[in-house]
Amino acid sequence: NVNGTLFFFAGYGASGYELWKSDGTETGTVLVKEVQGNETPIFLTNVNGTLFFSANDGTSDWELWKSDGTESGTIRVKDIQFGTGGSYPSLLTNVGGTLYFRSNNGLSGEELWKSDGTEAGTVLVKDIYFGSNTSQPTNLTNVNGTLFFRALDGINGDGLWKSDGTPDGTVRVWTGNGSDHYTSVNETLYFTAAGNDGMSDNDLWKSDGTEIGTVLVKDIPNPYDSGRYYGYVGNLTNVNGRLFFTASDDGTGSRELWSSDGTEASTNPIFDYDFYPISTPKFLTNIDGTLFLSAFTYRSGEEPWILDTNIPPAPPVKLLLSFYGIEENKPVGSLIGQFESVDPNTNEAFYYTLVPGDGDTDNASFTIDSDKLYSAASFDFETKDNYTIRVRTTDLSGLTYEKN
């Protein structure tokens, strides 16, 4: 979408796959320009009303192009790898009105470039992996006007980087393994990574652009040993300033829908698979504050679902515990019960915490994981046969209700 005009590529007769545009009418759906009949323009990206893309005109191979929607205004920006070799611009990303992308000039390998739409203003940002080696920048993501990306520098290995568009301002933020799924939420970068401690596997992380501010949000257990199945946290999506994603922590390999506000306590499944049989959510998409997704249930199979976050927030009004019972001399970690909340908003989700206050006498004897209450002690009824705890339920808007 460039100023209300749809740009796309399509194949049509002798023209092959070329750049087209449409205003939504048959007569207004026209070929913009025939760049070359047997190639497909890719990475179509809007930067301040100008369409940028990668194309091959048959002379200079794959290079950076731009278009104002007219045939004469559809031109090559720069022959980055001069001659018949292509620079293969990819991952085109708009950051504050500047186009960033990955390209290869034939001398520096695949590195980070930027462009203002002019030949002179299309330049290498920094040769991160110095020489003809390639830093392979990926996951280019705009976070409040700063570009975050993943790259190799040949010294520290794989890591999280950021750039303000200058060589000195293009710096490593954090060294970690396999960072992926970069997503901006409330001026914070969220991503998945294995970390650098040798302990965490593909977990949820966040960064404010500093090394000390790049932290693990929550260690979500890998359902398989030794990380044999990689990527069980994914589909990171920003909906109205809250992060939604998919993850599996139950040992079955079945993913569930999770959400987070960036704190460990708030990072939990929205639906527990054992309690509410929705599984394998995918294709998470935000449309005007409503989360659309595909998910599977045993009753309906795989169907479209929605989670509407536009409903005016209201706090929970009731907290219930399905009590399974406390048995004497059972081991620590025994399941005691499952919480349920009542909220005026029917599409809400909740997380639960033990909190200080009236009735918190025995909080230390219990733990909460997701919506389940577990024992943190082995109970001896001859010593004590009555226990009280105080629990807070918090909905997706951060509104709470407490009960003992």
Side-chain angles (χ1 to χ4, degrees):
N1 178 8
V2 182
N3 296 332
T5 297
L6 174 68
F7 286 83
F8 61 99
F9 58 82
Y12 178 74
S15 297
Y17 282 88
E18 296 292 353
L19 181 66
W20 287 66
K21 68 177 181 179
S22 178
D23 61 5
T25 67
E26 184 176 3
T27 57
T29 302
V30 297
L31 175 69
V32 177
K33 184 172 183 173
E34 185 176 344
V35 178
Q36 176 166 305
N38 61 352
E39 299 289 359
T40 302
I42 53 178
F43 299 111
L44 278 61
T45 304
N46 176 18
V47 181
N48 290 351
T50 296
L51 176 73
F52 288 85
F53 58 98
S54 180
N56 181 353
D57 63 1
T59 301
S60 56
D61 211 318
W62 288 95
E63 295 292 351
L64 182 66
W65 286 64
K66 69 176 181 179
S67 178
D68 62 3
T70 67
E71 182 177 7
S72 61
T74 302
I75 60 175
R76 188 182 66 201
V77 177
K78 184 173 184 174
D79 189 2
I80 294 173
Q81 185 167 148
F82 186 75
T84 58
S87 67
Y88 296 92
S90 62
L91 307 178
L92 277 61
T93 305
N94 178 12
V95 181
T98 297
L99 176 72
Y100 290 86
F101 58 99
R102 183 170 81 181
S103 193
N104 185 343
N105 65 2
L107 300 173
S108 304
E110 290 184 318
E111 296 290 349
L112 181 66
W113 285 67
K114 69 175 181 178
S115 178
D116 62 4
T118 68
E119 182 175 7
T122 302
V123 296
L124 174 68
V125 176
K126 186 173 184 174
D127 190 0
I128 295 173
Y129 198 153
F130 188 74
S132 60
N133 300 296
T134 176
S135 68
Q136 297 179 326
T138 59
N139 294 295
L140 277 62
T141 303
N142 178 15
V143 181
N144 195 35
T146 296
L147 175 70
F148 285 81
F149 61 100
R150 172 183 171 182
L152 299 163
D153 64 4
I155 300 173
N156 300 297
D158 190 15
L160 172 65
W161 288 67
K162 68 176 181 179
S163 178
D164 62 4
T166 67
D168 290 342
T170 303
V171 296
R172 172 182 289 273
V173 175
W174 174 80
T175 299
N177 297 316
S179 61
D180 203 356
H181 303 291
Y182 288 21
T183 304
S184 175
V185 182
N186 294 333
E187 302 181 7
T188 297
L189 176 73
Y190 288 83
F191 61 99
T192 63
N196 52 19
D197 56 6
M199 299 296 293
S200 60
D201 200 2
N202 185 47
D203 288 312
L204 181 65
W205 292 69
K206 67 178 181 179
S207 178
D208 63 3
T210 66
E211 183 175 11
I212 194 172
T214 302
V215 296
L216 178 67
V217 176
K218 186 168 186 174
D219 184 5
I220 300 172
N222 191 313
Y224 297 95
D225 292 336
S226 304
R228 292 184 294 112
Y229 290 78
Y230 192 75
Y232 273 83
V233 178
N235 296 295
L236 277 61
T237 306
N238 179 5
V239 183
N240 280 354
R242 187 173 185 88
L243 179 69
F244 291 83
F245 62 99
T246 59
S248 175
D249 68 345
D250 62 1
T252 67
S254 178
R255 298 191 187 205
E256 299 167 8
L257 182 64
W258 291 54
S259 75
S260 176
D261 67 5
T263 64
E264 181 178 8
S266 75
T267 305
N268 291 294
I270 291 179
F271 301 117
D272 186 278
Y273 183 76
D274 295 328
F275 179 68
Y276 193 95
I278 177 174
S279 178
T280 322
K282 54 189 176 183
F283 308 125
L284 276 61
T285 303
N286 174 22
I287 300 179
D288 296 330
T290 297
L291 177 65
F292 288 77
L293 64 147
S294 170
F296 174 86
T297 65
Y298 284 117
R299 174 178 293 181
S300 303
E302 187 164 344
E303 297 289 351
W305 287 68
I306 64 169
L307 181 65
D308 190 354
T309 64
N310 288 310
I311 300 173
V317 295
K318 187 177 290 187
L319 174 60
L320 306 172
L321 175 64
S322 298
F323 183 57
Y324 300 159
I326 301 177
E327 296 186 37
E328 192 175 14
N329 300 319
K330 281 286 187 178
V332 171
S334 296
L335 179 62
I336 303 300
Q338 187 167 17
F339 294 106
E340 183 180 355
S341 296
V342 177
D343 192 291
N345 297 332
T346 57
N347 288 327
E348 273 289 5
F350 309 90
Y351 62 93
Y352 303 89
T353 51
L354 292 161
V355 293
D358 184 35
D360 68 352
T361 307
D362 301 300
N363 278 13
S365 297
F366 300 87
T367 61
I368 295 176
D369 183 11
S370 186
D371 60 351
K372 294 182 176 63
L373 180 68
Y374 295 91
S375 65
S378 182
F379 302 110
D380 181 357
F381 292 163
E382 295 178 0
T383 304
K384 184 179 177 68
D385 61 1
N386 185 272
Y387 296 86
T388 61
I389 59 174
R390 186 170 186 85
V391 178
R392 174 185 297 156
T393 176
T394 306
D395 65 18
L396 290 176
S397 300
L399 302 177
T400 64
Y401 175 82
E402 295 183 11
K403 183 178 180 181
N404 60 280

